[in-house]
Amino acid sequence: MSRKTLEQNGICPVATTINLLSSKWKILIMRDLLTKKMRYSELKNSVSGISQKMLTQSLREMENDGLIKRKVFPVIPPKVEYSLSKLGQSMRPVIDAMADWGSTYLDKNPTKRKEIK
């Protein structure tokens, strides 16, 4: 369905995107999964400041939305690996644009570098 058709039916594509990526955590998880598949503990360590509860909740929501894939290996101890789905990979240009914009902002506002992490 085209953007125009969606908007004519009262559906906002921008609001849909924001709803899918409703927290900074989801965007940061996607940022890290753009480079490689990761296990839960690797994500926990790479996404600075995220709680275990929020990581688990975000991963479940992202899997339900089709943004990430969860692969369970039948081994003991259990091994689970997360990766971006094809749909999740399609967010690469958006995340790259956010990174470029953030770099430009921080170059122009160096005092903000300590405030924003």
Side-chain angles (χ1 to χ4, degrees), residues 28 31 97-117:
L28 295 176
R31 173 204 63 190
M98 291 172 72
D100 292 342
W101 189 91
S103 294
T104 301
Y105 175 83
L106 292 171
D107 286 345
K108 292 180 180 179
N109 300 280
T111 59
K112 298 289 185 181
R113 290 180 186 167
K114 294 178 183 171
E115 296 173 25
I116 303 170
K117 293 191 180 190

Side-chain angles (χ1 to χ4, degrees), residues 3-113:
R3 178 178 175 177
K4 185 176 180 180
T5 304
L6 287 169
E7 290 171 349
Q8 288 172 344
N9 290 317
I11 300 167
C12 177
V14 174
T16 300
T17 304
I18 290 170
N19 187 41
L20 286 170
L21 304 174
S22 59
S23 75
K24 73 176 183 178
W25 303 120
K26 290 180 181 180
I27 295 168
L28 295 176
I29 290 166
M30 291 183 77
R31 173 204 63 190
D32 291 350
L33 290 176
L34 279 171
T35 57
K36 64 181 181 176
K37 297 175 183 179
M38 299 177 84
R39 294 181 69 178
Y40 183 92
S41 59
E42 292 174 305
L43 283 167
K44 178 79 172 87
N45 291 331
S46 70
V47 181
S48 181
I50 193 168
S51 68
Q52 184 172 339
K53 177 184 175 187
M54 187 54 66
L55 178 57
T56 300
Q57 179 181 327
S58 297
L59 290 170
R60 283 185 185 146
E61 289 173 4
M62 293 170 73
E63 183 181 13
N64 287 337
D65 292 334
L67 297 171
I68 64 169
K69 295 185 285 185
R70 181 178 185 262
K71 183 175 181 181
V72 180
F73 295 87
V75 294
I76 297 177
K79 178 182 175 184
V80 178
E81 199 172 69
Y82 296 92
S83 62
L84 288 179
S85 65
K86 190 172 184 178
L87 179 63
Q89 285 284 348
S90 72
M91 286 294 296
R92 181 181 297 275
V94 175
I95 293 171
D96 287 345
M98 291 172 72
D100 292 342
W101 189 91
S103 294
T104 301
Y105 175 83
L106 292 171
D107 286 345
K108 292 180 180 179
N109 300 280
T111 59
K112 298 289 185 181
R113 290 180 186 167

